[in-house]
Amino acid sequence: MSSIVKQWHSALPHLGYDLPADQPPTTRTAGGVAVNLPLHLARQSLSRQEFWDIPEPVLDQYRRYRPTPLWHAKDFGEAIGAKVPIYVKYEGGNVSGSHKLNTALAQAHYYRQAGVRELVTGTGAGQWGTALAAACAVFSLRCTVFMVGDSLTRKPYRGTLMRMLGAELHASPSGRTAIGSRPAGGGNSLALAIGEAVEYARDADGRAFAIGSGETYSILHQSVIGVEAIDQLGDLEADVDAVVGCVGAGSNFGGVALPVFAAAANAARPQPLLLAAESTATPKLTRGVYAYDRTDATGFGPSEAMYTVGSDFTIPGSHSAGLRFHGSAKLLSAMRHHGQIAATAVGQQEAFTAARTFVQHEGVLPAPESGHALAAAARLATTGVTDRGEHLSARDGILVCVSGHGYLDLGAYEQHLAGLLRDEHADDDLIKLATAALQPVGGKL
């Protein structure tokens, strides 16, 4: 397929239910919160319109790196003893090194149209921060990024790249915000970095907070991944009955899986298995609760219905990086609740082993986050996975999204080669403590 996708594809018309409404913020200040969300993004989150034209300025940027490659990872499949073909959709071939640029460009375009002059964000592994910095450079916006401090220490060149793109970068907790000066609970967390960004963004006119993963509109923008993949699989005359992606908040998984979900609904075909791969360090979909929780550590924003381990949960240190977010996107959480997606948790040793096998046999070094998706796909293609007591496997083929490259994660891979990594598992008692005060969706956990 050589043509560029010109429309985003929404799955909202095919869910069969409405998403739960957000709850008002738990924290109030005299000045309130300036959300500054452009009308286009609000509509994309709420409307049941199925297809959305991609603005021409965004398409111009997409043409620089899209369509992205899809191929049959035959050698990887043979190396792991796969019983079905595995097809890989690779999103690492742009300046951000990941799928995040797909929504960063769209958001920067819409925010600039709305009169915003500076975008502020929090980032975990740095892929989103890099993508937003790149998009702001394209659309002549200032950019400020708060990056999880231990992630920045482990991968300093992420910070270098953001600064090369013109962004102002702060390690979180930064001391530049009230919440960053006295962090509570999980100090080095994505929730805290996002909280700092939210606080910083509301302190000046012309600033707006931008988020890259969990919002319904960001998942919509990522649908270019799945729309392209459907056409590319058709070109290969390939059939898949399972789609796999890693999940932090869920944008790359939603981007690859939901267009396949919508296409099956439109064609009245059986739904494929949609398998979310998360980290054992932050197992919201497999061990969390479905409740109303904050998306950041401030409480200034609304609480959303999500699968969560608690926004105050102290996340164990690991190289899962972008997967270290306490909750899953509202859209994906609802689909999980209604049995439309499955989930499995992967430890970092298994993820890094899968990534090493992949680079040796396919010539692409995945990001550690993507290693989790490859490990889950390998399970599905060999022994199968168990989710909520049900054994799941693929019969025809598996589509997996390798959401980014790992060339700025070589420090982590060096630790893997040296045998210094160990798996980190979230403690059940700590999850119960962090979620005990949350209001369950539907009345009970």
Side-chain angles (χ1 to χ4, degrees):
M1 185 187 75
S2 58
S3 60
I4 191 83
V5 171
K6 294 185 178 181
Q7 289 183 311
W8 294 307
H9 192 178
S10 174
L12 292 180
H14 301 290
L15 295 181
Y17 51 86
D18 294 327
L19 297 182
D22 296 344
Q23 292 187 333
T26 57
T27 301
R28 299 287 186 181
T29 62
V33 181
V35 176
N36 293 332
L37 187 67
L39 180 60
H40 284 90
L41 297 182
R43 289 183 61 234
Q44 289 168 1
S45 290
L46 299 173
S47 172
R48 293 201 175 204
Q49 179 177 324
E50 185 165 5
F51 295 98
W52 297 81
D53 291 340
I54 302 174
E56 192 60 37
V58 178
L59 276 178
D60 283 344
Q61 298 302 316
Y62 280 3
R63 291 187 179 99
R64 296 183 175 187
Y65 65 97
R66 306 210 70 88
T68 59
L70 180 146
W71 70 93
H72 178 194
K74 183 178 179 182
D75 292 343
F76 174 71
E78 289 180 354
I80 64 172
K83 298 175 183 177
V84 296
I86 298 175
Y87 298 92
V88 168
K89 181 68 168 165
Y90 178 57
E91 289 291 309
N94 63 69
V95 66
S96 75
S98 81
H99 69 292
K100 298 287 190 179
L101 192 58
N102 298 327
T103 187
L105 289 166
Q107 290 189 46
H109 166 73
Y110 289 129
Y111 275 108
R112 185 186 180 191
Q113 279 192 328
V116 169
R117 299 186 298 275
E118 178 182 359
L119 289 180
V120 186
T121 199
T123 189
Q127 294 174 340
W128 168 242
T130 306
L132 191 65
C136 285
V138 166
F139 289 105
S140 301
L141 297 170
R142 295 193 302 275
C143 182
T144 300
V145 179
F146 292 85
M147 182 171 176
V148 174
D150 65 351
S151 288
L152 182 57
T153 299
R154 291 177 179 185
K155 48 185 81 176
Y157 294 125
R158 270 286 172 199
T160 302
L161 182 52
M162 284 183 241
R163 290 192 295 269
M164 283 287 289
L165 289 163
E168 179 180 327
L169 177 67
H170 305 287
S172 176
S174 70
R176 297 180 65 89
T177 65
I179 190 171
S181 298
R182 48 180 186 278
N188 259 308
S189 73
L190 183 52
L192 177 61
I194 292 172
E196 288 208 78
V198 169
E199 180 182 332
Y200 184 80
R202 78 173 198 273
D203 285 343
D205 292 337
R207 286 181 189 161
F209 169 71
I211 190 68
S213 186
E215 298 304 315
T216 304
Y217 56 78
S218 65
I219 295 174
L220 174 70
H221 303 154
Q222 297 297 349
S223 67
V224 292
I225 304 172
V227 173
E228 284 181 4
I230 291 169
D231 286 344
Q232 290 167 319
L233 289 168
D235 291 342
L236 295 176
E237 298 183 348
D239 191 21
V240 299
D241 60 338
V243 185
V244 181
C246 61
V247 171
S251 65
N252 94 85
F253 172 71
V256 71
L258 298 197
V260 179
F261 170 86
N266 278 329
R269 296 195 310 267
Q271 283 292 342
L273 168 64
L274 309 180
L275 180 64
E278 61 183 5
S279 168
T280 56
T282 322
K284 52 265 186 173
L285 289 172
T286 53
R287 293 166 54 202
V289 300
Y290 190 39
Y292 289 95
D293 198 4
R294 300 174 295 179
T295 57
D296 64 83
T298 66
F300 285 113
S303 292
E304 294 186 358
M306 65 176 78
Y307 273 92
T308 178
V309 292
S311 55
D312 292 327
F313 177 72
T314 302
I315 297 170
S318 76
H319 288 291
S320 59
L323 307 188
R324 294 177 60 195
F325 186 60
H326 65 276
S328 179
K330 175 170 60 177
L331 171 55
L332 298 183
S333 292
M335 294 182 72
R336 172 69 167 164
H337 180 66
H338 286 272
Q340 293 166 319
I341 67 172
T344 191
V346 176
Q348 65 179 353
Q349 293 193 77
E350 184 183 0
F352 275 58
T353 298
R356 186 180 183 188
T357 302
F358 191 79
V359 71
Q360 288 176 349
H361 293 276
E362 298 294 334
V364 170
L365 179 66
E369 298 94 324
S370 301
H372 290 71
L374 288 167
R379 288 183 192 172
L380 200 59
T382 53
T383 60
V385 299
T386 299
D387 179 48
R388 293 178 168 175
E390 182 181 3
H391 185 76
L392 306 170
S393 61
R395 298 179 306 277
D396 300 322
I398 299 168
L399 169 63
V400 57
C401 183
V402 174
S403 58
H405 70 61
Y407 299 111
L408 293 175
D409 300 283
L410 290 172
Y413 282 115
E414 177 62 28
Q415 288 187 302
H416 167 68
L417 293 172
L420 300 177
L421 294 187
R422 62 187 180 90
D423 286 337
E424 298 288 352
H425 295 272
D427 182 88
D428 279 332
D429 289 337
L430 293 180
I431 293 176
K432 290 178 182 177
L433 182 64
T435 58
L438 299 180
Q439 178 185 336
V441 179
K444 65 179 181 178
L445 295 176

